[in-house]
Amino acid sequence: MSTPFDLRKNPFNLLGASPGDPQDILHEKHDDAVLDGDHDEASLADALRRLTSPKTRLEAELSWLLDQSAARIRELLALLRKLPKGAGERDDWSSMLAGLSALSKANVLADIAAHAGIGEAPLNLLSEAWDQLSIDAIETRMMEL
């Protein structure tokens, strides 16, 4: 059985890392996260492995909020943590997600769908985000990191 999409379990979030961090910084952030004790060591070791292996790093990058500032990521994750049951039925997500790239918007909406269900309006937003995904734009952004 596959686990639901969860931005909070993304390796970048678990380690408090950003896509531009070099490997030595990733190792430091891993060590800091272990000392903090907010997550189990096995999850943190797996997060480090996923970010330092090219195959699994790409998956982590594509399922993250690559183009968002650290402050915006914290804001979005706080919003997702506080989602009440039925939040996926709301129809005001468009304004809340304004300014996000198609990839980030799709990832936030996928997280909402996985944890709170998803109604017609958010499902339409998710479909629009997927339609707007541009491989060239994602590739360009990843090369900038």
Side-chain angles (χ1 to χ4, degrees):
M1 183 175 159
S2 66
T3 57
F5 187 84
D6 193 339
L7 286 169
R8 291 165 297 280
K9 291 182 181 177
N10 184 284
F12 288 108
N13 187 52
L14 291 176
L15 297 182
S18 65
D21 289 340
Q23 285 205 14
D24 59 328
I25 298 297
L26 291 174
H27 284 277
E28 286 178 25
K29 289 187 176 191
H30 167 266
D31 294 345
D32 291 345
V34 169
L35 291 174
D36 289 343
D38 293 336
H39 304 284
D40 66 276
E41 288 188 39
S43 295
L44 295 172
D46 182 59
L48 179 63
R49 179 193 59 76
R50 290 175 60 197
L51 293 182
T52 56
S53 169
K55 282 184 183 179
T56 53
R57 182 179 174 98
L58 181 59
E59 178 185 340
E61 289 174 341
L62 292 174
S63 62
W64 188 231
L65 307 168
L66 283 181
D67 56 347
Q68 300 304 302
S69 68
R72 182 70 167 133
I73 289 170
R74 283 191 300 276
E75 178 186 319
L76 290 167
L77 291 176
L79 172 73
L80 293 172
R81 269 193 297 279
K82 297 176 187 175
L83 283 180
K85 189 171 183 120
E89 298 293 327
R90 293 166 45 175
D91 60 4
D92 60 347
W93 286 109
S94 183
S95 62
M96 289 184 209
L97 302 176
L100 295 182
S101 70
L103 180 61
S104 289
K105 190 180 293 185
N107 286 338
V108 169
L109 288 163
D111 191 280
I112 292 167
H115 294 95
I118 195 162
E120 185 177 346
L123 185 59
N124 286 335
L125 288 174
L126 179 57
S127 178
E128 289 171 15
W130 281 334
D131 287 344
Q132 294 169 359
L133 285 175
S134 161
I135 300 300
D136 291 338
I138 294 169
E139 186 177 79
T140 299
R141 177 63 183 137
M142 292 173 76
M143 296 303 282
E144 292 172 352
L145 301 174

